[in-house]
Amino acid sequence: MISIRDAKINDAPAIVELWKEFMRQHHVNLVKANPKVEPHVSKKKNASIGFGKFLRKNIRSKNSAVHIAESNGKPIGYSLIYIKDNIPGFKLEKLGYISDIFVKKEFRGK
């Protein structure tokens, strides 16, 4: 059975592992389509540590929502959304921003 729930701080390591898989697929798909983008999608060596800190901050924030999808208790996907400042000059000062949505390949469409 697949379930989706609010993520908790102790879910962060599992979500970081999902993020790593997401970033590998993202990189391969983009670079395959256009090799010139490789310098623009390359990650720092400690990218997962930085993402983990960012993730924990957003799990704790009242202006963010982090969800985790599970199949029989195993993490299979996540989403990360938050409120951010809009570009100056617009009447609407804040925007809802969908940062990440990822589901493991074998669970997509379910």
Side-chain angles (χ1 to χ4, degrees):
M1 179 173 161
I2 295 174
S3 61
I4 300 171
R5 61 174 174 80
D6 292 341
K8 297 175 175 47
I9 290 295
N10 62 349
D11 293 316
I15 295 172
V16 169
E17 290 305 311
L18 290 166
W19 178 82
K20 288 178 185 177
E21 186 175 341
F22 179 31
M23 290 298 102
R24 283 190 298 273
Q25 289 180 14
H26 184 259
H27 186 86
V28 168
N29 291 340
L30 283 176
V31 174
K32 184 189 278 187
N34 184 354
K36 292 179 183 179
V37 302
E38 185 156 15
H40 304 287
V41 296
S42 295
K43 310 288 173 293
K44 294 180 179 179
K45 287 186 183 206
N46 62 351
S48 62
I49 294 169
F51 177 75
K53 290 178 183 177
F54 178 73
L55 178 65
R56 287 175 181 87
K57 176 183 143 194
N58 280 283
I59 289 172
R60 289 183 184 106
S61 175
K62 65 180 178 81
N63 291 318
S64 303
V66 181
H67 297 98
I68 186 165
E70 297 172 317
S71 176
N72 299 315
K74 290 179 63 175
I76 60 164
Y78 76 97
S79 67
L80 168 59
I81 59 177
Y82 54 89
I83 297 170
K84 70 179 209 166
D85 292 335
N86 197 359
I87 298 168
F90 288 90
K91 288 182 180 180
L92 188 63
E93 295 178 359
K94 302 282 184 184
L95 294 174
Y97 181 75
I98 301 170
S99 175
D100 294 9
I101 296 177
F102 174 74
V103 176
K104 287 181 167 249
K105 198 170 196 172
E106 62 269 25
F107 292 94
R108 294 176 191 167
K110 296 184 179 195

